[in-house]
Amino acid sequence: METIGNLFGLGFVQKFLKKGKKSGGSDGQDIVTFSSVEARAYRSLLLRLNSDFSLSLMTFESLLNFFYGKERKMETPVRPDFGEDVKTSDYRIYRLEHNGKVREIAEPKPELKKKQRQILHWLCARGIGASKYAHGFVRGKSTVTAAKLHTGKNVILKMDIKDFFPSISKQRVLHTLMKEGIEKEIAENIAETCTLNNYLPQGAPTSPFLSNLVAKSLDYRLAGLCRSWAPTFKIYYTRYADDLIFSSNLRKLNHMIPAIMRIVEQEGFKVNHAKTRVLRNSNRQKVLGLVVNDKVNVKRDYWRNLRAEMHQLKLKARNEGKLPSDSLFSNRLAEVTGKAAYIFGVNRERGRQFMREVKEIKKLVAQ
């Protein structure tokens, strides 16, 4: 079976990343700025892969790994080589403009990235990990596993943590690692190597893992609140990166909001009030981009539009064929292939239909 990496190809990613406008920043770091149009394209690209990664917090490292289709081998972990102090120049800064807001992605350069990967492997080998309520950046879990727990509920409450990564300081990382049993000297070195300007950079391979560790206390406290709030009604809780999701057949689930906010703030985070939503089963309930009223499914408009896109590509392939220089056709084929794979990850039966159509188009192209 083809991997997502084979379906898209690394060249497709590299071409996109080269579109950004490169400039020199302070302290010698590289800065790449994307226009609002390119930022929307970037978000669209991530949306195709959203069955396994958070759209808003997905790192460049994860993106490239996803395209490669690689499974990294876990070598026998040794104590990480921390090397010298981390500087801003050890990162390339990507600025994505969207709706008037700028999101900053800090990608570590190869040498630092290698050290951070060693740290990540070393921590994982010690059995340290996220809480069972975390579904983002956790092996074997995804938006689908999170959404399934909230299927068929009377009420769903969605809340969002504001500035998730920037809220996690070097001191919080250090404190969390020591709570996990890491000796102070090593914990200090890890916190220094994996933070930038005193906070977790969005783009480092260690940031998702460390953010889940820091949020572990938050997860257990919110899960405890769910157990004690209404003993006669079970309340389900999951966290996908910065997305907090609660669901139950308890009609007054929204009365929990003040208590949730209090715990979130006590744990050093802030709620983004503009993104708080209460979804009742009389209307469409959408969790992490998936509809969950009766069962986990992709929005109807999504697969209808995909079917129309595939029909257009099939007609083009039959009538004109694909010329080697037709990069637009290649990009569109890569896009619909990614969307088909996403649907397959959510709904196998419907996904197989779309994957068969992708193969048909590829056969027409190969003729």
Side-chain angles (χ1 to χ4, degrees):
M1 181 175 172
E2 285 185 295
T3 64
I4 297 293
N6 293 335
L7 294 172
F8 281 90
L10 178 62
F12 182 72
V13 185
Q14 290 173 330
K15 284 179 183 177
F16 179 80
L17 294 182
K18 286 178 182 177
K19 287 183 179 180
K21 183 180 178 183
K22 185 176 177 181
S23 62
S26 59
D27 299 326
Q29 81 271 30
D30 293 332
I31 296 178
V32 179
T33 302
F34 291 93
S35 68
S36 57
V37 174
E38 289 158 350
R40 283 195 295 273
Y42 173 79
R43 289 170 66 84
S44 175
L45 177 65
L46 299 191
L47 185 58
R48 304 173 214 159
L49 314 179
N50 203 27
S51 59
D52 287 315
F53 296 98
S54 166
L55 173 63
S56 59
L57 297 175
M58 186 177 183
T59 65
F60 279 90
E61 169 70 10
S62 300
L63 178 62
L64 292 176
N65 282 347
F66 203 72
F67 274 100
Y68 272 123
K70 283 184 178 178
E71 284 292 335
R72 293 192 180 278
K73 294 181 180 178
M74 292 291 287
E75 302 168 355
T76 305
V78 295
R79 178 169 166 162
D81 174 24
F82 299 107
E84 300 175 354
D85 291 345
V86 176
K87 305 182 184 72
T88 310
S89 57
D90 292 321
Y91 286 84
R92 291 187 73 210
I93 310 300
Y94 296 85
R95 288 175 181 155
L96 306 178
E97 300 172 13
H98 183 69
N99 291 336
K101 297 180 180 178
V102 178
R103 182 184 298 278
E104 189 171 277
I105 309 291
E107 181 197 15
K109 291 182 180 178
E111 187 177 348
L112 177 58
K113 187 182 290 186
K114 182 180 178 182
K115 292 175 185 175
Q116 291 175 343
R117 284 177 184 154
Q118 288 175 346
I119 290 170
L120 183 58
H121 293 170
W122 186 78
L123 288 171
C124 289
R126 292 176 65 91
I128 297 171
S131 74
K132 65 179 181 179
Y133 305 101
H135 288 253
F137 318 117
V138 177
R139 186 179 292 275
K141 293 186 177 182
S142 66
T143 54
V144 178
T145 61
K148 278 181 179 177
L149 293 172
H150 303 289
T151 303
K153 304 298 189 297
N154 285 340
V155 186
I156 294 175
L157 169 61
K158 300 198 300 182
M159 300 178 75
D160 181 85
I161 297 175
K162 187 176 182 180
D163 299 327
F164 186 50
F165 282 175
S167 298
I168 301 174
S169 66
K170 184 193 299 183
Q171 193 62 30
R172 293 182 71 184
V173 173
L174 170 62
H175 179 68
T176 299
L177 291 171
M178 291 177 66
K179 277 176 61 178
E180 295 287 346
I182 307 296
E183 57 186 88
K184 186 177 180 181
E185 182 186 351
I186 295 178
E188 286 175 342
N189 284 326
I190 290 174
E192 178 65 37
T193 305
C194 298
T195 56
L196 173 64
N197 297 331
N198 199 43
Y199 66 86
L200 281 183
Q202 186 171 325
T206 44
S207 291
F209 180 88
L210 292 173
S211 70
N212 274 339
L213 285 189
V214 172
K216 191 186 283 192
S217 173
L218 171 70
D219 290 339
Y220 286 128
R221 289 190 65 188
L222 289 176
L225 175 67
C226 291
R227 286 192 296 272
S228 63
W229 187 261
T232 55
F233 289 91
K234 185 164 184 179
I235 301 174
Y236 294 83
Y237 162 69
T238 61
R239 181 180 57 81
Y240 193 97
D242 56 352
D243 291 309
L244 310 177
I245 305 167
F246 306 83
S247 66
S248 177
N249 290 326
L250 177 67
R251 287 289 178 183
K252 296 181 179 179
L253 184 64
N254 55 304
H255 289 192
M256 284 180 64
I257 291 176
I260 293 169
M261 286 175 54
R262 190 159 49 247
I263 291 175
V264 170
E265 289 172 4
Q266 287 171 356
E267 289 296 322
F269 297 104
K270 290 183 179 179
V271 172
N272 185 347
H273 301 287
K275 292 188 176 181
T276 298
R277 297 285 185 275
V278 178
L279 310 175
R280 302 193 181 277
N281 60 359
S282 54
N283 296 309
R284 186 172 68 175
Q285 295 172 314
K286 195 170 74 169
V287 169
L288 300 170
L290 299 167
V291 179
V292 295
N293 288 71
D294 300 313
K295 61 180 181 179
V296 178
N297 216 336
V298 179
K299 290 188 297 182
R300 188 174 298 169
D301 290 348
Y302 188 89
W303 57 261
R304 280 181 174 171
N305 291 338
L306 177 57
R307 183 165 288 160
E309 288 180 61
M310 285 187 164
H311 179 68
Q312 291 174 2
L313 286 179
K314 203 178 289 184
L315 287 177
K316 183 176 176 66
R318 280 180 182 151
N319 297 335
E320 304 172 27
K322 174 184 171 291
L323 301 174
S325 60
D326 192 352
S327 59
L328 180 60
F329 185 94
S330 298
N331 289 346
R332 287 187 64 195
L333 180 56
E335 185 174 342
V336 298
T337 303
K339 288 179 178 178
Y342 171 55
I343 292 175
F344 181 78
V346 178
N347 184 324
R348 296 277 169 136
E349 186 177 346
R350 178 160 284 154
R352 284 192 189 96
Q353 298 171 11
F354 285 110
M355 294 305 286
R356 279 197 293 268
E357 288 197 45
V358 167
K359 287 183 180 178
E360 273 186 55
I361 296 171
K362 288 186 174 181
K363 282 181 183 177
L364 289 171
V365 166
Q367 290 175 359

